[in-house]
Amino acid sequence: MGKTGWGTGYKVALYGVALAAIFGGTWAAGAATGPPPANETHSTDAHGGHESEPPKVPPGLSVSENGYTLRLKENSSLSFDIAGPDGRPVTEFAVEHEKRLHLIVVRRDGSHFRHVHPEMAPDGTWSVPLSLGTAGGYRVFADFRPEDGPKTTLGADVHVAGDYQPRKHETSRTFTVDGYEVTLHGELNTGKASAVTVTIAEDGRPVTDLQDYLGAKGHLVALRAADLAYLHVHPEEGAEVKFAVEAPTAGQYRLFLDFQHENVVRTAEFTLTTAGTATETHEEDGHGH
């Protein structure tokens, strides 16, 4: 990464209603026609009509959900707070995967992924030093659960000025980082959970002594490539590095695995297309495999 900070050249763009309108109908299978007009009801069975519920906006596509709002601030580091239903900053968060809040930052083309854990000040302001020197729009995801509140993932955009050179990603199951070859096994299926497992080798030898990271042998984030919808991916117990991934719609997905070995956390990235859909391949820029 370069040395450019989050001040000059960064414009915060918070998207809410527009994203919900654009992407809400694409998340649920069979909802391509969108929700019915207001006050329109449909009969569902012999017990009478029920008002149809609109499809739920997927995690990370809205800046506001469940009464909570992500409020980014422009300064020398990335800082923000989470406004509660009363408009005041939330200061009490439940610990999930060993942290009170997980912050994911990724460029809109699915590259330059970062998973960091900011610190919270007593007034509810979170901050983390984070420099992004590569031009483009970035999606910022805040993944958290307020005390006595619902699990929530909010998203907002920041922009880095400059000559933007987007990357395209071909399907890839293997990634090499610092001499570690990481391979993803399994298929993504729509509408149901799919088991994907990870194997890791260092200099050709299987790594069998991974250290726990965030309470598990690995932490996986999956993003729908078309709009960066954020998928909740849960690690499964056992000796294998295994996850249950549910792809809500057909298409391409970017997956990012954080793992820890010899006290160093590294990230591997993959690109998969849901089973049964055509795979379009593109040239990579030479980073990884």
Side-chain angles (χ1 to χ4, degrees):
M1 294 292 177
K3 301 298 183 183
T4 305
W6 287 81
T8 304
Y10 290 76
K11 296 182 179 179
V12 179
L14 306 183
Y15 296 98
V17 176
L19 281 172
I22 295 170
F23 296 123
T26 66
W27 180 256
T33 58
N39 301 322
E40 181 178 340
T41 59
H42 299 270
S43 177
T44 57
D45 53 33
H47 298 288
H50 300 280
E51 186 173 354
S52 177
E53 295 184 359
K56 181 177 174 60
V57 176
L61 288 183
S62 178
V63 72
S64 184
E65 186 180 1
N66 298 326
Y68 298 91
T69 301
L70 172 60
R71 302 189 297 197
L72 293 178
K73 305 175 182 181
E74 287 190 275
N75 49 35
S76 59
S77 65
L78 176 60
S79 65
F80 60 94
D81 63 22
I82 305 296
D86 59 0
R88 299 163 60 183
V90 178
T91 58
E92 299 293 332
F93 294 83
V95 174
E96 293 199 319
H97 301 295
E98 299 186 347
K99 301 293 182 180
R100 292 184 297 168
L101 185 143
H102 297 264
L103 193 74
I104 306 299
V105 182
V106 63
R107 202 167 69 169
R108 274 283 179 183
D109 60 357
S111 64
H112 301 286
F113 173 89
R114 300 288 297 277
H115 178 181
V116 295
H117 301 103
E119 297 292 331
M120 189 187 73
D123 67 355
T125 297
W126 296 85
S127 61
V128 60
L130 190 62
S131 295
L132 299 176
T134 305
Y138 289 78
R139 191 66 175 169
V140 177
F141 300 94
D143 186 345
F144 61 91
R145 184 189 299 274
E147 286 285 2
D148 303 321
K151 173 72 173 176
T152 302
T153 303
L154 303 179
D157 279 4
V158 296
H159 296 276
V160 181
D163 181 18
Y164 174 47
Q165 299 293 331
R167 285 179 56 194
K168 295 183 179 180
H169 306 280
E170 64 179 4
T171 297
S172 176
R173 293 178 172 274
T174 301
F175 190 86
T176 300
V177 53
D178 296 342
Y180 292 84
E181 185 175 83
V182 188
T183 304
L184 193 68
H185 307 271
E187 300 290 343
L188 295 185
N189 296 292
T190 58
K192 64 179 181 179
S194 306
V196 296
T197 58
V198 176
T199 56
I200 302 174
E202 182 183 14
D203 298 326
R205 297 185 299 272
V207 174
T208 58
D209 59 343
L210 287 177
Q211 297 164 295
D212 280 356
Y213 176 62
L214 303 177
K217 296 302 180 186
H219 188 276
L220 187 68
V221 169
L223 302 173
R224 188 168 58 185
D227 56 9
L228 297 186
Y230 183 98
L231 308 188
H232 292 286
V233 183
H234 303 284
E236 298 186 359
E237 295 182 359
E240 288 186 301
V241 184
K242 187 176 182 179
F243 302 88
V245 183
E246 182 173 345
T249 60
Q252 188 183 81
Y253 289 80
R254 294 281 287 155
L255 298 95
F256 302 90
L257 172 76
D258 293 326
F259 66 97
Q260 182 168 265
H261 188 240
E262 298 181 346
N263 300 318
V264 177
V265 177
R266 298 172 174 86
T267 302
E269 57 186 69
F270 314 94
T271 305
L272 296 184
T273 300
T274 50
T277 61
T279 302
E280 182 179 0
T281 60
H282 304 277
E283 292 184 359
E284 282 279 6
D285 69 352
H287 175 64
H289 298 282

